[in-house]
Amino acid sequence: MDVTALGEILIDFSPAGSSPQGNRLLEQNAGGAPANVLAALSRFGRKTALIGKVGEDEFGHYLRSVLVDNGIDASGLMMIPEASTTLAFVHLGENGERSFSFVQNPGADQLLSAKDIKEVGDLLIGQSSVFHFGSLSLTHEPARSATWAALKCARGHGIKVSYDPNLREALWPGLEEAKRLILEGMRFADIVKLSVEELEFLTGTSNLEQGSRQLAEEYGLSVVLVTLGAEGSFCRRGGDTCLVEGITVKAVDTTGAGDAFLGGWLHAYLEANKPETELSLDELRNMLRFANITGALTTTRKGAIPALPALETVLELYKET
């Protein structure tokens, strides 16, 4: 297995025009940051698996079928009757920037437990090259304990850990608790991807050099990636840093762009097949460029997983830029 991820897979309801009566229409798409990252990797031919929970409902069955259709191992996806699949409503601004509102009280994904990890941990996590997680599984128990258990399993097997803080303020009881627990997750990570807004939230500065150094030194991170939207992305590896400009596209929906970026970067990292410390600055720049293109192309279509580009499309644009 190349990458196993833990966390939410949910329904994104995205704007899809208006009805003849003038009412807003919403389109159902599969979403959830960990699932989006895996779908991007699977689109590039990587072997992936998801550990999580959905409701024993129509949405849950749909999400399982999406995983299977996208070549993602769904053996770690549990369906439960006691909670519904989480729903997210996507709101798009004029430039394609999105915001979210969620329906979960609780959502099935929040009920993943440490016991569940014992049953699938060694089978999926222990056989992977990279384990990936995000902060949304830290917002509530028992999923929080499940996340810690999975991270300890990954560490015990000596597996690289990828982490996306992915701050969603509405899902946390309070921002102080959000910051504390998100930073606690850093202690298990090797590779961290965050937005410049998340960098400022966690470090108090939007200065890329200063903020990334603070996180890398305090938590022993080997790679810090910062996405800058249309402006591109930044990478810190030890004392080395690089900044790569983004490409110009006509964005219609930025949902999942950061996840696509990370999927692209992890694919390039696995393709390099060497420790982070041995990557040259040119290799790091090329990895950022590949990831930038993957993220940018995802914004040109609506939805997250449905908008992910094929490897051939990314490589064609990579050769041209």
Side-chain angles (χ1 to χ4, degrees):
M1 192 69 65
D2 291 312
V3 181
T4 293
L6 175 146
E8 71 279 4
I9 180 170
L10 46 78
I11 299 294
D12 280 337
F13 281 113
S14 305
S18 300
S19 70
Q21 294 76 31
N23 296 318
R24 186 164 64 113
L25 296 178
L26 298 173
E27 181 181 42
Q28 170 185 302
N29 285 304
N36 294 341
V37 172
L38 294 183
L41 284 159
S42 292
R43 199 70 56 95
F44 294 161
R46 294 293 170 185
K47 294 179 65 176
T48 64
L50 179 71
I51 299 171
K53 279 188 175 178
V54 292
E56 182 71 64
D57 50 34
E58 180 181 346
F59 294 130
H61 286 283
Y62 164 72
L63 291 173
R64 175 178 282 277
S65 71
V66 168
L67 291 183
V68 173
D69 290 346
N70 280 273
I72 300 169
D73 186 331
S75 62
L77 183 71
M78 291 149 266
M79 305 183 75
I80 58 173
E82 57 264 36
S84 299
T85 301
T86 295
L87 309 179
F89 291 86
V90 183
H91 313 283
L92 297 178
E94 291 183 1
N95 61 350
E97 287 296 328
R98 79 283 185 268
S99 58
F100 298 88
S101 55
F102 296 88
V103 178
Q104 52 174 192
N105 191 31
D109 56 286
Q110 295 175 315
L111 299 184
L112 188 71
S113 69
K115 180 183 177 182
D116 297 324
I117 301 305
K118 288 182 181 179
E119 296 175 359
V120 300
D122 286 339
L123 182 62
L124 293 176
I125 300 173
Q127 298 179 16
S128 300
S129 297
V130 175
F131 175 70
H132 174 69
F133 77 110
S135 72
L136 296 196
S137 59
L138 298 175
T139 60
H140 294 82
E141 291 288 4
R144 184 183 303 159
S145 292
T147 306
W148 301 141
L151 288 166
K152 290 173 183 176
C153 176
R155 279 301 187 204
H157 285 282
I159 292 164
K160 291 292 181 182
V161 175
S162 163
Y163 179 33
D164 178 6
N166 192 29
L167 178 64
R168 295 288 181 263
E169 295 183 20
L171 296 180
W172 288 92
L175 288 182
E176 287 187 10
E177 181 176 1
K179 183 175 181 178
R180 178 178 64 82
L181 287 169
I182 288 173
L183 289 175
E184 185 65 25
M186 296 272 182
R187 300 187 186 280
F188 295 90
D190 299 295
I191 300 160
V192 170
K193 188 281 297 182
L194 63 171
S195 69
V196 68
E197 293 82 10
E198 289 159 350
L199 180 72
E200 184 171 11
F201 172 72
L202 295 173
T203 67
T205 180
S206 59
N207 182 285
L208 300 176
E209 293 278 350
Q210 181 180 337
S212 63
R213 184 186 302 110
Q214 179 179 325
L215 291 177
E217 292 181 353
E218 184 169 354
Y219 297 99
L221 307 174
S222 56
V223 174
V224 179
L225 304 167
V226 185
T227 55
L228 309 171
E231 296 179 13
S233 59
F234 170 91
C235 176
R236 170 177 292 280
R237 190 277 314 272
D240 298 323
T241 63
C242 56
L243 178 68
V244 176
E245 292 184 356
I247 64 169
T248 301
V249 296
K250 185 177 180 181
V252 297
D253 183 359
T254 60
T255 306
D259 306 325
F261 168 91
L262 182 54
W265 195 92
L266 288 174
H267 170 74
Y269 169 68
L270 290 167
E271 194 75 3
N273 194 30
K274 63 175 71 172
E276 305 91 304
T277 53
E278 295 180 13
L279 293 168
S280 69
L281 269 177
D282 280 343
E283 286 176 313
L284 288 169
R285 290 190 187 95
N286 288 334
M287 290 164 70
L288 284 185
R289 190 157 63 93
F290 184 89
N292 285 349
I293 293 169
T294 305
L297 288 175
T298 303
T299 71
T300 62
R301 297 169 57 195
K302 288 187 177 180
I305 292 177
L308 292 167
L311 179 59
E312 295 77 13
T313 306
V314 177
L315 289 175
E316 183 178 350
L317 194 51
Y318 179 86
K319 293 174 183 175
E320 295 174 357
T321 57

